[in-house]
Amino acid sequence: MEYTDKVMDHFSNPRNMGVIENPDGYGKIGNASCGDIMEIFLKIENDIIVDVKFRTFGCASAIASSSVSTEMVLGKTIDEALEITNKAVVESLGGLPAVKMHCSVLAEEAIKAAIEDYLSKKK
Ligand code: FES
């Protein structure tokens, strides 16, 4: 399977790439087999994600997955964001090749890790 136009678009022109200083939530997830790493930074107000940035050292699918997932969580409540699965990320990209599915899992896990970081700091 070839990459979809949407994957190519998000890879060539990633949305919300960068970092947030002093984020309310921070998640960093790596995949041991390919060595790729994804970081998610969240700014959260009243349990709503008001800003999000990502930094990904990884393949095209990982960069496209992180880019599209930042668009998916922006403006969402943390509960809504926690429900975003890697399947939803893949659907939003119009599909990923089977060998690239794990790249979308990084996005789901990095978002969850960042929200869990926020929740643990809140306590
Ligand atoms: Fe590992 Fe894409 S090859 S995240």
Side-chain angles (χ1 to χ4, degrees), residues 50-65:
V50 295
D51 196 13
V52 51
K53 293 267 186 293
F54 82 88
R55 188 160 62 175
T56 294
F57 302 91
C59 70
S61 302
I63 290 165
S65 294

Side-chain angles (χ1 to χ4, degrees), residues 1 5 8 13 17 23 41 46 51 54-55 58 60 62 75 81 87-89 95 101 105 107 109-110 116 119 121:
M1 184 181 146
D5 289 346
M8 292 310 296
N13 180 23
M17 193 161 65
F41 305 80
N46 300 321
D51 196 13
F54 82 88
R55 188 160 62 175
K87 250 187 89 187
V89 172
M101 284 300 164
V105 174
E109 290 183 345
E116 273 154 28
L119 291 172
K121 280 190 208 156

Side-chain angles (χ1 to χ4, degrees), residues 31 33-38 58-62 99-100 102-104 106:
N31 180 291
S33 56
C34 65
D36 292 350
I37 294 170
M38 189 181 296
C59 70
S61 302
V99 294
K100 289 289 176 181
H102 77 272
C103 317
S104 64
L106 275 188

